[in-house]
Amino acid sequence: MAILTSKDFWPIRTVAAASLTLAIGACSDSSSNSPQDVSGGDVLMNQVQYLGTHNSYKQRIRPDLFDILSAYVPDLAPTLEYGHIPLQQQFENQGIRQIELDVFDDPEGGLYATHRALSLVNEDTASGIPELDEPGLKVMHVQEVDYETTCYTFVDCLTEIKIWSDNHPGHLPITVLVEVKDDVIPDPLNLNFVIPLEFGLEALNRIDAEILSVFPPGQLIVPDDVRGDFVTLELAVLSEGWPPLSQARGKIMFALDNTGDARENYIDGHSSLEGRILFTDSPAGTPEAAFMKRNNPLSNPGDIESLVKLGYMVRTRADSDTEQSRTGDTSQREAALSSGAHFISTDYPVPDTNFSDYQVQLPGGNIARCNPVSPGNCAEDLL
């Protein structure tokens, strides 16, 4: 089979391609000190390691509601005690290039406009937030309990990303992990908590539609771009590899966090994700396999490294449930960084000094670095 030569996305690369030097700066990645080709060669986007945030939209729970939550679910409450600054500030000030958004379906609007737990602190339960009355996907962590967010709707969040991207042409590609949510939560005080709508095929289709309502196709990295002329998406990434940074700069890639029914419904009728916007966390050996999650780098040593060497892109987590910040344990962080996972997700790009000085940064404090497992021609001798 001929090697992919899509004129819109890929340059022809040969085994004898010139070596190149990649300078990775701690400032804006569209500056002269950013990852760039300085000698005529090319670096692929999967030959770089990026820093990400987990539940990137989330703000800290109000103290009064947190105290109530602590009284009724003392094991759960501490795991929710974290938050992030707005998305544009994460990109600009923390060097974040991978984020996560959780979405709930709300096709008619208003389903999440009431916060019933506020009755426990004698406040009006009507949120008074106009965006929550609008039809469309809503962004929050746990309905009725952990709902504080820096952008209320999926379109709001996407717009924040686009504004920053448009104002920083040439930035390293940003990856957005989307988790769909429809779980019912306990209602021990009988407050009539809202029951989420099942996240079915129509809702999954709305994810694609809302993305395309904000971003033009040319600003996206989608499975069809990567698959090109190959029979399957998996064959493309294992044979030809991912887009070069020279072609991926200024673009946004989306991936579905969920497996199970959500993933299978999203793939159904779209083998190799043909015509779809999101990549999926699909197992090796399937036509859609390209992006994978391995949330705990300590759980199966060597697994992430093997996947990275094969050509898959992998996201892992350096911490979870506030545990590492409270204890100062850095073992999962160090395992994540050394694993070669492309996206190192954390709740602590800066320390929470209420707990400890624990934080996650790439070595040198840079916004990206050459992948420690699969660097290709990437070199950091200009640091």
Side-chain angles (χ1 to χ4, degrees):
M1 179 176 293
I3 296 298
L4 169 64
T5 58
S6 171
K7 64 180 182 298
D8 295 322
F9 206 83
W10 295 84
I12 296 176
R13 296 191 299 275
T14 68
V15 175
S19 63
L20 88 159
T21 302
L22 181 67
I24 302 181
C27 55
S28 169
D29 49 0
S30 57
S31 75
S32 60
N33 293 324
S34 64
Q36 58 186 306
D37 171 9
V38 297
S39 67
D42 229 331
V43 168
L44 307 187
M45 59 185 288
N46 65 312
Q47 293 170 346
V48 179
Q49 191 174 67
Y50 310 86
L51 186 63
T53 50
H54 163 250
N55 292 337
S56 311
Y57 57 87
K58 181 177 159 10
Q59 293 186 300
R60 222 177 179 96
I61 304 176
R62 288 175 37 156
D64 49 3
L65 293 184
F66 180 78
D67 289 342
I68 294 171
L69 191 64
S70 297
Y72 284 93
V73 279
D75 292 336
L76 173 66
T79 71
L80 306 178
E81 198 176 8
Y82 65 93
H84 294 288
I85 59 178
L87 299 179
Q88 291 195 51
Q89 294 180 33
Q90 292 183 45
F91 300 143
E92 187 73 20
N93 302 327
Q94 297 177 343
I96 299 302
R97 293 298 178 267
Q98 185 262 309
I99 62 171
E100 179 184 348
L101 303 175
D102 293 348
V103 294
F104 291 78
D105 192 26
D106 187 15
E108 296 183 4
L111 190 60
Y112 298 99
T114 301
H115 297 151
R116 294 166 180 81
L118 291 178
S119 64
L120 300 174
V121 292
N122 298 315
E123 288 191 22
D124 188 350
T125 59
S127 69
I129 298 169
E131 293 90 337
L132 295 180
D133 289 319
E134 299 173 359
L137 302 171
K138 301 302 186 293
V139 175
M140 72 193 86
H141 189 220
V142 182
Q143 70 276 18
E144 304 283 11
V145 175
D146 191 13
Y147 53 79
E148 301 287 354
T149 175
T150 61
C151 42
Y152 295 104
T153 72
F154 190 46
V155 168
D156 286 344
C157 296
L158 297 176
T159 301
E160 290 296 308
I161 299 167
K162 190 174 192 303
I163 290 171
W164 189 89
S165 178
D166 289 348
N167 288 333
H168 296 79
H171 64 78
L172 285 171
I174 294 171
T175 298
V176 182
L177 190 61
V178 180
E179 181 176 358
V180 305
K181 289 195 165 183
D182 56 12
D183 290 339
V184 177
I185 63 172
D187 185 10
L189 299 180
N190 297 316
L191 298 178
N192 195 30
F193 282 170
V194 65
I195 305 298
L197 298 177
E198 182 179 353
F199 218 104
L201 179 58
E202 289 186 4
L204 290 165
N205 289 338
R206 278 193 282 275
I207 295 176
D208 284 10
E210 292 197 5
I211 291 171
L212 290 173
S213 76
V214 175
F215 291 99
Q219 200 169 356
L220 301 174
I221 299 169
V222 300
D224 284 344
D225 294 324
V226 177
R227 180 173 58 85
D229 296 330
F230 281 90
V231 175
T232 70
L233 178 60
E234 181 182 50
L235 183 59
V237 300
L238 299 186
S239 301
E240 181 75 1
W242 288 79
L245 286 182
S246 61
Q247 298 296 320
R249 286 180 170 281
K251 296 187 178 183
I252 317 298
M253 183 176 97
F254 290 85
L256 182 66
D257 182 272
N258 306 72
T259 55
D261 289 344
R263 179 184 65 195
E264 300 313 309
N265 287 336
Y266 189 77
I267 293 172
D268 188 33
H270 299 271
S271 181
S272 285
L273 298 169
E274 182 176 1
R276 283 301 201 183
I277 302 299
L278 281 66
F279 292 81
T280 54
D281 176 16
S282 295
T286 61
E288 298 75 31
F291 164 84
M292 298 181 182
K293 292 185 310 163
R294 294 294 187 271
N295 284 336
N296 188 346
L298 295 171
S299 63
N300 189 2
D303 179 41
I304 295 176
E305 180 179 355
S306 297
L307 294 171
V308 170
K309 287 180 177 179
L310 287 171
Y312 303 106
M313 290 195 79
V314 182
R315 177 260 198 180
T316 195
R317 294 180 62 180
D319 43 72
S320 62
D321 297 336
T322 74
E323 178 182 346
Q324 286 77 12
S325 181
R326 294 177 190 274
T327 65
D329 181 4
T330 62
S331 57
Q332 183 169 329
R333 180 187 72 186
E334 298 312 310
L337 289 167
S338 63
S339 71
H342 304 90
F343 310 112
I344 310 298
S345 181
T346 180
D347 290 321
Y348 302 98
V350 296
D352 183 339
T353 54
N354 293 311
F355 297 153
S356 71
D357 61 359
Y358 173 88
Q359 71 176 123
V360 180
Q361 291 185 332
L362 296 179
N366 300 312
I367 59 173
R369 68 165 177 167
C370 297
N371 191 289
V373 168
S374 183
N377 289 326
C378 177
E380 298 181 32
D381 53 320
L382 293 185
L383 285 175

